Amino acid sequence: MKFMKLGTRLDTFYTEEATRSVVSDIPNDLVIQISNINYLLHQLQFSLLPKCGLLQRLCADSDDSSTVTIQLHDIPGGEAAFELCAKYCYGITINLSAHNFVSAFCAAKFLRMTEAVEKGNFVLKLEAFFNSCILITNSFQENHLSLQVTWSYTYTRTGFNKQQQLVPKDWWTEDISDLDIDLFRCIIVAIKSTHMLPPQLIGEALHVYACRWLPDTTKITRPESSVSQTDEVTDKHRKILEIIVNKIPSDKGSVSVGFLLRLLSIANYLGASTVTKTELIRRSSLQLEEATVSDLLFPSHSSSNQYYYDIDMVAAVLESFLLLWRRTSPAPTENTQFMRSIRKIGKLVDSYLQAVATDINLPVSKVLSVAEALPDIARKDHDDLYRAINIYLKKHPDLSKADKKRLCRNLDCQKLSPEVRTHAVKNERLPLRTVVQVLFFEQEKGSRENDHRMPTQELLLSRGKQIPIVRDELSKLQLGSYEQTIRSDGIPRTPAPSESSTRDDQKLKRPDKKTPLEAGKKGGERTNRGEGI
């Protein structure tokens, strides 16, 4: 095993009861208390203060003639790690190896034994040892020992081939995941400072640690039905979360968007700081294009929400993405990367809405907050949006007429495929006005296919409506002048319906005189409702 030897003096530390002292003719003037041990040391005579920035600051206000007492109970590595640092300052011989490197390095960083305090300080020597010995030893293992070692991986990567000939480059991430968060933080800082490992490996270490120590919010029940965590556990989890977020490399793609979204869900659950949540929302929005629907499905942990899915979290990330997209995108064209980006997000959002629409407690306002956030160009067609609306209407049969109108107001019938339009005109869950819009568009197109479409009158009779009422609806949609429905490119466009223009779903009595079609149908047979979209 590689080791590094520092110092030349004999070890003069000795113990008397709970006190560690240094054999010296000079009286001690500094007492360091760690746990139950008192170290009787010297401020200046043996370079202790000149090498330790923290001790310099703590002793700055003391009287030169008095003995200073300092408590360092929270030093990483405890008294053993502190003693290594103290012996280095006294010039006493110490041996460093992979067994004590981590604790020594963390303690040295804690004491601020850096180049800013003194040239050639302890931290610099430890980093040199890490780069020249420990990392090279790992490289040797990759080339020569891979077949003799069984690697216990991996937490976050699927499809890892255990028969591969090389050691996995993230072999160390599981080992350091057992450490205390302060030690773990020091190691990540040290690794990042070497600039020898790619950001993805550092991100992998953070991912493994999060899996090891943070709660899985996908398996947590609502606060009112579960045993709440103690404040101590919550504070510990919150500290771990904020350190992990703070140490994520700035490089895009150093961690996956799924991991970022999971951290955001945990932040909401733990009540993390606004700064932490905002950073996670920003980072998630930068990689939102990489997300899948499953990456977005997290339960809501707010006791005030009756619905299951945390749709507010998704809405916040989507808003952040659109803010950046509008700020950076030029005038959109069909072939630009910006257009492909927003179209991909449109497909993702509509697929997400289909998944959450099954929640029977999800209010219409939450669906609309996400559906209406997208600009028109985000949807090349409205088939997926129609499917989401249809699922929501099916799962919410008691929805009011007003809410049905609100839900369908963003549906552009001209952007529906022929198959979906066929389904829509037979869908009794839709408001009548939406069906009329579909039929009006079909008439404007001059569509007269009889193989898989029903005649207009027959379709409306199947819904139990009167033909004169439908004709009146069509005439209102035309708004008198055809110029009012022509866009600048010459394509007819269905005018947007007014919320208060008609009472389209009002049940009316049939007239005494039947039309020939009604007579032929013996009062009007109802067609089967379409369920296949």
Side-chain angles (χ1 to χ4, degrees):
M1 177 182 293
K2 295 284 187 180
F3 68 93
M4 179 172 66
K5 184 177 180 179
L6 296 175
T8 57
R9 296 183 58 194
L10 295 176
D11 189 350
T12 54
F13 272 71
Y14 68 96
T15 302
E16 184 176 341
E17 295 182 351
T19 302
R20 293 280 285 166
S21 304
V22 181
V23 176
S24 173
D25 294 334
I26 304 173
N28 68 282
D29 57 359
L30 177 64
V31 179
I32 303 294
Q33 296 179 344
I34 303 175
S35 299
N36 296 322
I37 304 294
N38 288 336
Y39 285 88
L40 306 184
L41 305 174
H42 308 82
Q43 295 184 36
L44 299 174
Q45 288 80 358
F46 295 96
S47 300
L48 188 61
L49 261 62
K51 293 183 182 296
C52 300
L54 177 63
L55 297 183
Q56 289 181 21
R57 183 175 64 82
L58 295 176
C59 295
D61 298 331
S62 64
D63 186 353
D64 294 339
S65 62
S66 63
T67 299
V68 180
T69 301
I70 298 174
Q71 295 182 348
L72 295 179
H73 300 303
D74 56 346
I75 184 172
E79 59 268 17
F82 170 77
E83 192 163 316
L84 282 173
C85 297
K87 287 180 177 179
Y88 170 79
C89 295
Y90 277 83
I92 296 173
T93 301
I94 58 175
N95 291 317
L96 294 166
S97 67
H99 291 301
N100 60 5
F101 168 79
V102 172
S103 58
F105 182 82
C106 294
K109 292 285 284 187
F110 179 84
L111 294 170
R112 301 178 190 171
M113 302 176 71
T114 63
E115 294 299 282
V117 177
E118 184 178 87
K119 294 295 182 182
N121 214 338
F122 197 25
V123 170
L124 179 66
K125 289 181 170 59
L126 290 170
E127 289 177 344
F129 174 62
F130 179 78
N131 296 333
S132 61
C133 297
I134 296 180
L135 289 182
I136 289 179
T137 301
N138 293 334
S139 177
F140 175 81
Q141 289 176 341
E142 288 190 9
N143 294 324
H144 300 282
L145 302 180
S146 59
L147 297 181
Q148 287 80 35
V149 180
T150 300
W151 304 99
S152 55
Y153 299 66
T154 180
Y155 272 88
T156 61
R157 293 179 182 171
T158 58
F160 172 70
N161 181 14
K162 294 183 179 180
Q163 304 303 319
Q164 67 181 21
Q165 297 300 308
L166 294 178
V167 176
K169 293 186 182 298
D170 60 352
W171 65 268
W172 49 276
T173 59
E174 185 175 337
D175 294 338
I176 67 172
S177 68
D178 290 328
L179 298 175
D180 176 81
I181 184 60
D182 292 317
L183 288 174
F184 176 79
R185 175 178 56 186
C186 289
I187 291 177
I188 295 299
V189 170
I191 292 173
K192 291 177 71 174
S193 67
T194 65
H195 302 289
M196 296 186 65
L197 296 180
Q200 290 76 12
L201 279 182
I202 298 174
E204 181 75 2
L206 297 172
H207 198 162
V208 172
Y209 198 88
C211 291
R212 173 74 170 78
W213 292 102
L214 291 178
D216 185 354
T217 54
T218 63
K219 299 178 181 179
I220 297 175
T221 56
R222 292 187 178 279
E224 64 267 20
S225 60
S226 64
V227 179
S228 60
Q229 296 187 108
T230 63
D231 292 340
E232 181 179 358
V233 173
T234 300
D235 291 342
K236 179 182 178 180
H237 285 163
R238 193 181 294 120
K239 177 182 178 182
I240 293 173
L241 172 70
E242 294 182 351
I243 288 176
I244 288 176
V245 173
N246 183 258
K247 297 306 175 186
I248 295 176
S250 58
D251 309 67
K252 183 179 179 181
S254 58
V255 295
S256 67
V257 65
F259 178 51
L260 291 169
L261 290 167
R262 182 193 166 191
L263 291 180
L264 179 55
S265 177
I266 295 173
N268 291 334
Y269 173 71
L270 296 176
S273 66
T274 303
V275 173
T276 299
K277 291 181 182 179
T278 302
E279 175 63 11
L280 286 170
I281 290 172
R282 186 189 69 84
R283 293 292 298 264
S284 299
S285 66
L286 291 175
Q287 298 178 224
L288 187 57
E289 291 179 61
E290 306 165 14
T292 63
V293 173
S294 60
D295 291 330
L296 304 175
L297 294 177
F298 288 96
S300 173
H301 300 292
S302 173
S303 58
S304 61
N305 296 336
Q306 297 302 314
Y307 46 91
Y308 179 76
Y309 295 105
D310 192 353
I311 197 168
D312 295 326
M313 182 188 81
V314 176
V317 175
L318 178 60
E319 181 183 1
S320 178
F321 169 85
L322 293 173
L323 183 64
L324 179 64
W325 181 83
R326 291 187 179 100
R327 186 185 304 157
T328 59
S329 62
T333 62
E334 288 291 331
N335 297 322
T336 64
Q337 177 60 38
F338 295 97
M339 176 62 76
R340 289 192 292 270
S341 174
I342 195 64
R343 288 278 171 84
K344 191 172 184 179
I345 295 299
K347 294 287 289 185
L348 174 66
V349 168
D350 287 346
S351 298
Y352 171 76
L353 289 175
Q354 292 176 45
V356 301
T358 58
D359 185 354
I360 60 174
N361 293 319
L362 186 65
V364 173
S365 59
K366 294 298 179 182
V367 178
L368 292 175
S369 68
V370 175
E372 294 181 342
L374 291 173
D376 291 340
I377 60 173
R379 296 183 174 99
K380 187 174 182 179
D381 61 67
H382 280 211
D383 287 4
D384 287 333
L385 179 60
Y386 173 83
R387 293 184 179 96
I389 291 173
N390 186 49
I391 293 172
Y392 189 87
L393 292 174
K394 187 176 181 179
K395 293 295 182 179
H396 302 77
D398 298 328
L399 202 64
S400 67
K401 294 179 180 179
D403 283 342
K404 286 183 178 181
K405 290 180 181 180
R406 292 173 61 204
L407 191 63
C408 296
R409 68 189 177 192
N410 296 300
L411 195 62
D412 189 344
C413 299
Q414 299 187 56
K415 290 187 176 182
L416 298 178
S417 66
E419 294 77 16
V420 173
R421 287 199 300 270
T422 300
H423 185 277
V425 295
K426 295 185 290 185
N427 190 348
E428 292 190 354
R429 289 186 284 269
L430 294 176
L432 176 60
R433 186 172 185 80
T434 302
V435 177
V436 171
Q437 286 179 330
V438 177
L439 292 172
F440 176 73
F441 177 67
E442 289 286 278
Q443 284 190 351
E444 292 299 317
K445 284 184 61 179
S447 175
R448 294 296 182 267
E449 294 132 348
N450 296 319
D451 52 347
H452 63 283
R453 290 182 178 83
M454 301 173 63
T456 301
Q457 291 183 348
E458 185 177 348
L459 285 169
L460 270 298
L461 282 172
S462 70
R463 293 177 62 107
K465 309 297 179 182
Q466 280 193 332
I467 296 173
I469 299 299
V470 177
R471 289 172 178 165
D472 183 57
E473 289 285 350
L474 292 175
S475 64
K476 288 180 179 178
L477 285 172
Q478 292 176 0
L479 296 177
S481 175
Y482 203 67
E483 289 81 358
Q484 295 177 345
T485 65
I486 300 297
R487 294 183 298 181
S488 60
D489 54 4
I491 301 176
R493 179 177 178 87
T494 304
S498 171
E499 291 289 339
S500 59
S501 60
T502 58
R503 299 179 180 177
D504 40 90
D505 284 350
Q506 183 181 5
K507 299 292 183 179
L508 299 177
K509 295 182 179 180
R510 296 180 179 274
D512 295 334
K513 184 177 180 180
K514 298 180 179 179
T515 65
L517 180 58
E518 288 175 315
K521 289 290 181 178
K522 296 182 179 179
E525 295 177 356
R526 300 178 64 85
T527 59
N528 293 330
R529 288 179 291 179
E531 304 288 343
I533 298 297

Short mmCIF file of all heavy atoms in Angstrom, two decimals, residues 132 183 196 250 262 298 322 337 381 471 533:
data_model
loop_
_atom_site.label_atom_id
_atom_site.label_comp_id
_atom_site.label_asym_id
_atom_site.label_seq_id
_atom_site.Cartn_x
_atom_site.Cartn_y
_atom_site.Cartn_z
N SER A 132 -0.90 11.56 -6.74
CA SER A 132 0.25 10.79 -7.20
C SER A 132 0.24 9.34 -6.76
O SER A 132 0.87 8.50 -7.41
CB SER A 132 1.55 11.44 -6.71
OG SER A 132 1.58 11.46 -5.29
N LEU A 183 -17.85 14.59 6.21
CA LEU A 183 -16.72 13.92 5.58
C LEU A 183 -16.97 13.76 4.08
O LEU A 183 -16.07 13.97 3.26
CB LEU A 183 -16.49 12.56 6.22
CG LEU A 183 -15.90 12.55 7.62
CD1 LEU A 183 -15.86 11.13 8.16
CD2 LEU A 183 -14.51 13.16 7.63
N MET A 196 -9.54 16.02 -12.10
CA MET A 196 -9.12 14.80 -12.79
C MET A 196 -10.28 13.90 -13.16
O MET A 196 -10.14 13.02 -14.01
CB MET A 196 -8.13 14.02 -11.92
CG MET A 196 -6.82 14.75 -11.65
SD MET A 196 -5.62 13.73 -10.78
CE MET A 196 -5.30 12.45 -12.01
N SER A 250 -21.61 22.32 -12.13
CA SER A 250 -22.38 23.27 -12.95
C SER A 250 -22.56 22.78 -14.39
O SER A 250 -23.41 23.31 -15.11
CB SER A 250 -21.69 24.64 -12.95
OG SER A 250 -20.37 24.53 -13.45
N ARG A 262 -36.28 14.47 -8.63
CA ARG A 262 -36.45 13.76 -7.36
C ARG A 262 -35.98 14.62 -6.19
O ARG A 262 -36.64 14.68 -5.14
CB ARG A 262 -35.67 12.44 -7.39
CG ARG A 262 -35.86 11.64 -6.11
CD ARG A 262 -34.87 10.52 -5.96
NE ARG A 262 -34.90 10.05 -4.58
CZ ARG A 262 -34.02 9.22 -4.04
NH1 ARG A 262 -33.03 8.78 -4.79
NH2 ARG A 262 -34.10 8.85 -2.79
N PHE A 298 -44.64 12.54 -9.30
CA PHE A 298 -44.35 12.52 -7.87
C PHE A 298 -45.62 12.88 -7.11
O PHE A 298 -46.39 13.74 -7.54
CB PHE A 298 -43.24 13.50 -7.52
CG PHE A 298 -41.88 13.07 -7.97
CD1 PHE A 298 -41.37 13.54 -9.17
CD2 PHE A 298 -41.12 12.19 -7.23
CE1 PHE A 298 -40.12 13.14 -9.61
CE2 PHE A 298 -39.87 11.79 -7.65
CZ PHE A 298 -39.37 12.26 -8.85
N LEU A 322 -40.06 27.61 -20.07
CA LEU A 322 -40.64 28.51 -21.07
C LEU A 322 -40.06 29.91 -20.97
O LEU A 322 -39.89 30.60 -21.98
CB LEU A 322 -42.16 28.55 -20.90
CG LEU A 322 -42.90 27.24 -21.23
CD1 LEU A 322 -44.37 27.35 -20.87
CD2 LEU A 322 -42.74 26.90 -22.70
N GLN A 337 -33.83 24.21 -34.11
CA GLN A 337 -33.70 23.42 -32.88
C GLN A 337 -34.66 23.92 -31.82
O GLN A 337 -35.18 23.14 -31.01
CB GLN A 337 -32.26 23.50 -32.37
CG GLN A 337 -32.01 22.79 -31.05
CD GLN A 337 -32.32 21.31 -31.13
OE1 GLN A 337 -32.07 20.67 -32.16
NE2 GLN A 337 -32.89 20.77 -30.07
N ASP A 381 -50.09 18.96 -33.45
CA ASP A 381 -51.48 18.53 -33.51
C ASP A 381 -52.03 18.48 -32.09
O ASP A 381 -51.27 18.59 -31.11
CB ASP A 381 -51.61 17.16 -34.19
CG ASP A 381 -50.86 16.07 -33.44
OD1 ASP A 381 -51.27 15.73 -32.31
OD2 ASP A 381 -49.86 15.53 -33.98
N ARG A 471 -78.28 23.66 -36.82
CA ARG A 471 -78.13 24.62 -37.91
C ARG A 471 -77.93 26.02 -37.37
O ARG A 471 -77.13 26.82 -37.90
CB ARG A 471 -79.36 24.56 -38.82
CG ARG A 471 -79.43 23.27 -39.65
CD ARG A 471 -80.74 23.17 -40.37
NE ARG A 471 -80.79 21.97 -41.19
CZ ARG A 471 -81.91 21.48 -41.72
NH1 ARG A 471 -83.06 22.10 -41.50
NH2 ARG A 471 -81.86 20.38 -42.44
N ILE A 533 -60.03 6.16 -28.29
CA ILE A 533 -58.93 7.13 -28.38
C ILE A 533 -58.24 7.25 -27.04
O ILE A 533 -58.90 7.43 -26.05
CB ILE A 533 -59.47 8.49 -28.85
CG1 ILE A 533 -60.08 8.36 -30.22
CG2 ILE A 533 -58.35 9.51 -28.87
CD1 ILE A 533 -59.12 7.94 -31.29
#
